[in-house]
Amino acid sequence: QVQLVESGGGLVQAGGSLRLSCAASGSIFSRNVMGWYCQAPGKQRELVATITSGGYTNYADSVKGRFTISRDNAKNTVYLQMNSLKPEDTAVYYCNIRYLLANYWGQGTQVTVSS
């Protein structure tokens, strides 16, 4: 089975930055989509950004211009550079990978932005 391990979350002041990482291990098809999703208290899980193995990216409107998703295919690792953080970004951030009929999630990492 594929395993996803996230890191890089924490507490930061508004306007600050964080860099999230997610390393995937296991039997992974080379053509895939990796992404980040967030879930705030009392809300449903929402897409933040995705990136294909070919480097094509997609972002939620709320993070465009502030967040950047990237990946290292050789390491099966996806990153989320989070700049100009806002209190409304506070959430648990989950890593995801999809390929063929497979869909896997990480355990989540907490991001808290204080004002």
Side-chain angles (χ1 to χ4, degrees), residues 4-105:
L4 301 172
V5 180
E6 298 120 319
S7 62
L11 175 64
V12 66
Q13 297 247 333
S17 298
L18 287 172
R19 183 174 171 85
L20 306 184
S21 299
C22 173
S25 62
S27 184
I28 301 169
F29 189 62
S30 59
R31 296 187 180 184
N32 59 71
V33 180
M34 299 186 75
W36 292 95
Y37 296 74
C38 67
Q39 187 165 24
K43 297 186 66 178
Q44 294 189 339
R45 192 170 299 184
E46 298 179 343
L47 181 145
V48 177
T50 61
I51 183 168
T52 71
S53 49
Y56 191 90
T57 59
N58 183 54
Y59 295 91
D61 287 342
S62 60
V63 307
K64 286 181 179 177
R66 299 190 298 123
F67 294 5
T68 302
I69 190 169
S70 61
R71 62 186 291 164
D72 184 334
N73 290 345
K75 297 180 179 179
N76 286 320
T77 300
V78 64
Y79 307 93
L80 186 68
Q81 180 66 46
M82 310 166 72
N83 298 327
S84 302
L85 282 160
K86 305 174 181 179
E88 50 262 46
D89 296 321
T90 295
V92 177
Y93 284 73
Y94 295 91
C95 179
N96 172 263
I97 185 169
R98 297 177 182 269
Y99 58 90
L100 299 175
L101 299 178
N103 181 22
Y104 297 96
W105 294 92

